[in-house]
Amino acid sequence: MKIIGLTGGIGSGKTTVANMFRELGVPVYVADLEAKNLMNTSKVIKRQLIEKFGDQAYSNGELNRNFLAAKVFNDEVELKKINNIVHPKVKEHFEKWLTKQTSPYIIKEVAIIFEHNRQHEYDAIILVVSDKQKRLERVMKRDNSTREKVISIMNNQMADDVKIPLSDYIIENTTIEDTKIQVEKLHQKLLES
């Protein structure tokens, strides 16, 4: 079974593309979503986050995302602490999930593959790209966020022109119809390869 990485900058349309693959019957693992779930359900992660960041890491038994986001924003050391706690558990969860799949290939949606130099973990990588202005508008609307905050996040991410030569396939997310055609063609190609 092939493991296909699906990545792209914030607001590029990774989730839309992942859902299109899902509609074609391809199993999809969304790493960020599973990480959030595990941060709320894993006793080990909860205990370790509270040990590192104090009781404020959780509020009423739920992950205090705003508190942790403020802790790690622009602080590589603190971000690394969280990643060292969460990533091994997500990897373990993914490997368990993978054993239950029977498809010729699966999609693993991961926001940052190249940034963590993890491209070797995949048989191929799909990069979703989209116009920067469209991405900005999507994220501002989706996250009810300010232009400045979204631009700050975009500026902290690796640029598409750096990721394009590192990727095996590029999906240009312009219109839903066009993106769907690209996904269907790529699906056929991945089934045949």
Side-chain angles (χ1 to χ4, degrees), residues 1-3 27 97-106 123:
M1 180 187 307
K2 287 190 175 75
I3 299 172
W97 174 86
L98 197 57
T99 63
K100 297 174 186 153
Q101 307 311 315
T102 56
S103 180
Y105 75 94
I106 62 94
D123 294 296

Side-chain angles (χ1 to χ4, degrees), residues 23-129:
E23 284 167 18
L24 294 169
V26 179
V28 175
Y29 186 92
V30 182
D32 285 352
L33 192 63
E34 296 301 343
K36 285 174 194 158
N37 289 341
L38 286 168
M39 288 168 89
N40 275 312
T41 58
S42 165
K43 287 182 173 75
V44 175
I45 291 176
K46 275 186 177 183
R47 183 175 39 76
Q48 290 178 342
L49 286 175
I50 289 168
E51 280 171 13
K52 289 260 192 268
F53 299 99
D55 290 333
Q56 285 181 288
Y58 287 84
S59 176
N60 300 323
E62 290 288 308
L63 183 70
N64 187 343
R65 292 186 53 185
N66 291 338
F67 171 77
L68 287 175
K71 281 275 190 206
V72 302
F73 192 71
N74 289 331
D75 191 332
E76 286 291 317
V77 175
E78 296 297 296
L79 180 60
K80 202 170 244 177
K81 285 179 188 174
I82 288 182
N83 288 342
N84 288 341
I85 292 169
V86 179
H87 285 179
K89 291 289 176 199
V90 173
K91 188 177 189 322
E92 200 177 287
H93 185 267
F94 171 70
E95 286 167 1
K96 208 176 280 181
W97 174 86
L98 197 57
T99 63
K100 297 174 186 153
Q101 307 311 315
T102 56
S103 180
Y105 75 94
I106 62 94
I107 296 284
K108 184 177 182 186
E109 182 193 322
V110 184
I112 44 181
I113 292 175
F114 302 116
E115 292 84 344
H116 287 169
N117 201 24
R118 298 224 185 269
Q119 52 272 36
H120 62 277
E121 295 176 10
Y122 303 92
D123 294 296
I125 296 174
I126 302 166
L127 175 67
V128 182
V129 296

